Amino acid sequence: MADIFQESVSRYPDMPALLGKTKGVYEAVTYQDMALRVRRMARGLLSLGVRKRDRVALLSENRIEWAISDMAIIHIGAVNVAVFPNIPASQAEYILSDSGSNIIIVSDRNQLKKALEIQNRLNDLRIIAMESVPESEYDITSLDSLERLGDTSPSLDTEFESRWKNMQPEDWASIIYTSGTTGDPKGVILTHGNFVFNIEAGKNILHFLPGEVLLSFVPLNHIMGRFADHYLPLSTGSTVAYVENLLRLRMNMEEVQPHYMLLVPRVLEMFHEGIMTTMTKESPLRQQVFRRALSIGRECCKYMENKQTVPVLKSLQWRLADRIVFNKIRSRLGLARLKFFFSGGAPLRRETAEFFGALKIRIMEGYGLSETAPLVAVNPHDLLKFGTVGPAVKGVEVKIAADGEILVRGPNVMPGYYNKPDDTAATIDKEGWLHTGDIGELDGDGYLTITDRKKDLIVLSNGKKVAPQPMENRL
């Protein structure tokens, strides 16, 4: 992972790597500036005595400091234990305790409050705060002071260079905690090799280009966000801009004008509903024009989905509909430059996929798990099949078991769950097949459709998996 990042730095030093809001304005961090901050922070962590395979927890929303912290952690061979920023302190404490994390990096005062509460019980826990806090007031270290410590420790440069240059594919990069059927989260161990395989596979499907902008919305501690909004764009010279929050999503889209976005189905459904509601407020004539344009777009998508050539007249009508209707809608949403949405984490309604297809907005729906880092299958941009998650990516095997369960095998599969050998053995069989717990079907073209869940988990429309057992026990 460090090799891939350093290659981007050498190829695109002056191009913007990250965009974050500062005092109401998006400001850029170039690849070269990011690399300098990664080096400073990594040397700061080395000066604190962080060893290879030490776990460092990261409790933060999507922001520039998240990306820098993650890269610093993996450059020195430590392991990023990413924690959802919206979980309560009790759940975060379980993850820190189970993983053996001795350092936690937090974002704002809200996350700092959780960390201080945990520190009262985990006395050896060291807190690093991204935002300025009077250090004398708390037993914490600010990120600025950690970077300054790294700046004044040039003697650690040799150690820093040695760590990242000698990384091996089997070295751990992250532990991601996912809901288990027992109710206790399980730590999914992911290696540098797992991530690198998916990055190389992803480049052949999601064609991110240098200088183009991805607007990051899905949490980076979520495996889909980590892959599509972090590692993949930073491996291609693209720019990652961060959404401020859900309420400012539309505004940030208009400001950034992204080329790509990863979204969970619920947000796409909200866009769909919002466009339809807006159209009901237009004049009867405009509503009629919109309905006709939408009908033409859907007809053309049907031809394409069935691998048929769109008739010339229909193609001309679709192009006219795009010029008169759809182009204005995309511009109003801040999507004038959008090449595609990438959707994952939960099933996308076919109706929503067809709607955006008619508007000439491609949604590349994919499928994956934390245990596969995450990529398993994805719809290719040139041949979408609505209602499916596409064929398996090159190098990954997918088959359907006798009971309908989807089984996956390949270099993307985790080595196991942290400190849970029984759970690992129950999930990965002796032939290396990962039992996903999902039920699905493969069509004649190898496209995968998810039809059901085998595990007793509730999957919310935002992609989060909820184990019902803890609530049942409480009741």
Side-chain angles (χ1 to χ4, degrees):
M1 293 302 303
D3 283 323
I4 288 175
F5 174 70
Q6 292 295 337
E7 184 179 342
S8 289
V9 173
S10 64
R11 293 179 66 183
Y12 317 107
D14 299 320
M15 294 183 71
L18 310 171
L19 285 174
K21 268 285 184 79
T22 304
K23 296 180 180 178
V25 179
Y26 272 103
E27 293 188 354
V29 175
T30 67
Y31 274 88
Q32 191 170 50
D33 290 340
M34 182 180 176
L36 287 171
R37 289 196 63 183
V38 166
R39 180 180 294 266
R40 290 190 194 115
M41 184 176 176
R43 291 195 314 203
L45 290 172
L46 288 173
S47 69
L48 297 181
V50 176
R51 299 161 300 175
K52 187 173 179 178
R53 249 198 207 193
D54 277 358
R55 270 74 71 197
V56 179
L58 189 48
L59 178 61
S60 167
E61 304 77 15
N62 293 12
R63 54 192 291 169
I64 285 172
E65 293 84 0
W66 197 106
I68 291 169
S69 297
D70 175 68
M71 281 295 173
I73 291 166
I74 64 174
H75 267 69
I76 60 173
V79 182
N80 177 358
V81 179
V83 184
F84 271 96
N86 59 348
I87 66 172
S90 58
Q91 288 186 25
E93 182 181 349
Y94 172 85
I95 291 171
L96 266 63
S97 178
D98 185 70
S99 65
S101 299
N102 293 321
I103 294 177
I104 183 169
I105 303 169
V106 300
S107 54
D108 56 19
R109 282 186 173 268
N110 182 41
Q111 306 302 344
L112 175 61
K113 183 179 177 182
K114 294 180 194 174
L116 289 168
E117 183 181 330
I118 296 167
Q119 192 183 51
N120 289 332
R121 291 183 287 275
L122 302 179
N123 297 326
D124 294 335
L125 184 66
R126 181 188 286 271
I127 300 172
I128 298 171
M130 294 178 182
E131 297 183 1
S132 298
V133 177
E135 294 183 36
S136 58
E137 186 178 339
Y138 304 105
D139 182 18
I140 64 168
T141 303
S142 71
L143 190 57
D144 283 344
S145 63
L146 183 69
E147 288 189 40
R148 285 196 300 272
L149 181 62
D151 225 6
T152 56
S153 307
S155 59
L156 291 171
D157 242 10
T158 303
E159 176 72 9
F160 170 73
E161 294 285 338
S162 175
R163 290 269 190 110
W164 74 260
K165 287 180 179 178
N166 289 294
M167 210 75 67
Q168 300 300 311
E170 64 272 16
D171 286 330
W172 298 4
S174 186
I175 299 177
I176 294 179
Y177 277 79
T178 182
S179 298
T181 51
T182 61
D184 287 333
K186 293 181 288 191
V188 177
I189 301 167
L190 295 173
T191 66
H192 283 255
N194 292 145
F195 282 123
V196 170
F197 171 81
N198 270 340
I199 288 170
E200 297 305 322
K203 284 179 180 179
N204 296 324
I205 306 167
L206 307 172
H207 301 288
F208 293 2
L209 296 176
E212 292 186 330
V213 180
L214 179 141
L215 187 58
S216 173
F217 171 73
V218 174
L220 292 172
N221 50 282
H222 190 287
I223 188 60
M224 286 299 298
R226 184 87 59 90
F227 165 71
D229 286 8
H230 184 52
Y231 291 144
L232 186 58
L234 291 179
S235 73
T236 60
S238 302
T239 304
V240 180
Y242 298 107
V243 169
E244 293 175 90
N245 54 56
L246 177 60
L247 297 178
R248 293 176 180 258
L249 174 60
R250 282 285 306 277
M251 184 181 80
N252 293 158
M253 288 166 61
E254 292 174 20
E255 292 171 313
V256 170
Q257 297 285 317
H259 296 88
Y260 324 102
M261 275 192 79
L262 165 65
L263 291 172
V264 292
R266 181 60 195 131
V267 176
L268 291 167
E269 290 164 9
M270 286 166 58
F271 287 166
H272 181 185
E273 293 160 5
I275 293 169
M276 296 304 291
T277 300
T278 300
M279 291 310 303
T280 61
K281 300 174 184 176
E282 298 288 348
S283 67
L285 177 60
R286 287 194 174 185
Q287 289 185 47
Q288 186 177 352
V289 170
F290 173 74
R291 285 195 296 269
R292 177 60 183 149
L294 196 59
S295 176
I296 292 167
R298 282 179 167 144
E299 287 181 53
C300 292
C301 285
K302 285 287 185 188
Y303 281 110
M304 295 167 67
E305 188 181 6
N306 294 326
K307 301 181 185 178
Q308 297 174 339
T309 302
V310 180
V312 175
L313 180 59
K314 283 291 177 188
S315 182
L316 290 173
Q317 288 176 329
W318 197 18
R319 195 178 304 173
L320 182 63
D322 183 52
R323 185 180 300 174
I324 295 173
V325 181
F326 303 147
N327 186 48
K328 293 176 182 176
I329 292 173
R330 292 197 302 271
S331 296
R332 199 179 305 145
L333 288 171
L335 302 176
R337 300 194 300 182
L338 189 82
K339 291 189 171 182
F340 59 79
F341 283 128
F342 184 46
S343 175
L348 177 68
R349 290 189 315 190
R350 183 183 177 92
E351 178 189 355
T352 300
E354 289 178 344
F355 173 80
F356 282 105
L359 266 60
K360 289 202 168 185
I361 296 175
R362 282 181 299 184
I363 300 178
M364 296 173 67
E365 188 175 4
Y367 168 69
L369 308 93
S370 299
E371 290 86 346
T372 58
L375 212 52
V376 171
V378 64
N379 268 282
H381 68 90
D382 55 345
L383 188 57
L384 304 178
K385 275 195 178 185
F386 300 130
T388 79
V389 292
V393 299
K394 188 177 180 180
V396 173
E397 298 175 82
V398 173
K399 73 175 183 179
I400 307 299
D403 62 356
E405 185 177 12
I406 299 166
L407 308 184
V408 178
R409 184 167 66 180
N412 56 338
V413 173
M414 65 168 183
Y417 295 113
Y418 183 70
N419 277 347
K420 285 185 167 55
D422 292 342
D423 286 325
T424 300
T427 303
I428 304 174
D429 65 28
K430 292 179 181 179
E431 295 180 352
W433 289 101
L434 173 77
H435 293 242
T436 65
D438 292 312
I439 304 296
E441 301 169 350
L442 286 168
D443 69 11
D445 296 319
Y447 279 63
L448 180 65
T449 302
I450 313 299
T451 59
D452 207 345
R453 290 276 310 165
K454 185 176 179 180
K455 295 177 182 176
D456 187 15
L457 288 177
I458 301 166
V459 184
L460 305 184
S461 62
N462 64 5
K464 184 171 176 59
K465 297 179 179 67
V466 180
Q469 286 85 354
M471 186 178 292
E472 290 170 0
N473 291 340
R474 289 282 297 275
L475 291 171

